[in-house]
């Protein structure tokens, strides 16, 4: 499971956009959000209800918060969310991120369903490493090693589920 999770971290971004972002419900507790963000080393999480974007919770929202028993809806940013439609280019996203001085750009469809997340970090990496090995969907290629005894078949199955490119 741990090895599969590491593969997922690498494969989640696609062409500079995270296509399956980690989300939370507005009813989840702030304490759970803090744990989730620390676990994945992320500075914010989109808040959805039934797939529909209703807000975002970032470190800025949590900076001086001490009431960890409250639901996320009490502190999340829900007004004036900066969103872009599916198909927005990285160049357009970069301009919007800069204009609004934000680090996360929420990608939504016509019904406001969350379809992705573009982050400053992902754009920076794409510019810094233009020759990195990518698959046909624009995601980094990743390989993983397994042993030849014990749980190697289960490990291989989990790595394939996580979309590993090469198993050694």
């Amino acid at each position: 499971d741990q090895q599969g999770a590491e593969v997922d971290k690498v494969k989640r971004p696609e062409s500079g956009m995270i296509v399956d972002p980690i989300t939370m419900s507005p009813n989840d507790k702030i304490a759970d959000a803090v744990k989730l963000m620390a676990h994945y080393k992320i500075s914010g999480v989109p808040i959805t209800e039934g797939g529909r974007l209703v807000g975002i919770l970032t470190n800025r929202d949590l900076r001086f918060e001490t009431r960890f028993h409250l639901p996320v809806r009490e502190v999340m940013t829900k007004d004036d969310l900066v969103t872009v439609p599916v198909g927005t280019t990285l160049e357009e996203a970069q301009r919007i991120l800069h204009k609004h001085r934000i680090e996360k750009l929420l990608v939504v469809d016509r019904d406001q369903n969350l379809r992705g997340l573009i982050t400053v970090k992902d754009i920076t990496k794409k510019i810094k490493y233009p020759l990195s090995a990518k698959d046909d969907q624009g995601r980094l290629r990743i390989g993983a090693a397994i042993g030849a005894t014990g749980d190697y078949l289960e490990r291989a199955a989990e790595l394939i589920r996580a979309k590993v490119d090469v198993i050694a």
Side-chain angles (χ1 to χ4, degrees):
D1 289 343
Q2 183 180 2
Q3 201 172 15
E6 292 299 317
V7 169
D8 182 59
K9 279 187 208 173
V10 173
K11 292 308 260 190
R12 193 170 286 273
E14 179 179 319
S15 299
M17 181 175 88
I18 300 167
V19 292
D20 187 19
I22 296 162
T23 63
M24 293 191 80
S25 160
N27 300 319
D28 290 333
K29 299 291 182 220
I30 293 171
D32 295 330
V34 170
K35 286 179 193 169
L36 181 91
M37 290 163 67
H39 176 75
Y40 287 102
K41 297 182 175 100
I42 55 177
S43 61
V45 60
I47 308 301
T48 60
E49 282 185 307
R52 191 168 190 277
L53 179 67
V54 295
I56 187 166
L57 183 71
T58 67
N59 282 338
R60 185 178 289 176
D61 299 314
L62 298 172
R63 186 155 292 137
F64 299 110
E65 189 56 61
T66 58
R67 303 165 298 163
F68 297 110
H69 65 283
L70 291 178
V72 166
R73 77 171 62 251
E74 296 293 324
V75 297
M76 71 183 189
T77 300
K78 53 186 162 259
D79 298 323
D80 301 321
L81 294 174
V82 180
T83 63
V84 294
V86 173
T88 299
T89 67
L90 286 184
E91 292 76 21
E92 293 168 325
Q94 190 172 2
R95 282 193 295 278
I96 295 166
L97 288 163
H98 178 70
K99 175 183 175 187
H100 294 280
R101 303 286 193 257
I102 55 175
E103 294 186 2
K104 295 177 183 352
L105 195 53
L106 303 156
V107 181
V108 295
D109 63 17
R110 288 185 181 136
D111 298 320
Q112 287 300 106
N113 292 308
L114 183 67
R115 294 293 176 222
L117 182 68
I118 299 172
T119 70
V120 169
K121 186 191 302 186
D122 293 320
I123 291 173
T124 303
K125 285 180 185 176
K126 191 169 176 77
I127 293 167
K128 189 173 181 180
Y129 305 107
L131 301 177
S132 56
K134 306 273 178 77
D135 65 16
D136 58 353
Q137 294 180 340
R139 300 174 303 195
L140 286 173
R141 292 195 180 274
I142 184 169
I146 60 173
T149 60
D151 64 350
Y152 71 99
L153 289 176
E154 292 86 2
R155 288 176 65 192
E158 180 60 31
L159 291 169
I160 290 166
R161 254 190 309 280
K163 299 183 175 62
V164 74
D165 295 294
V166 176
I167 296 176

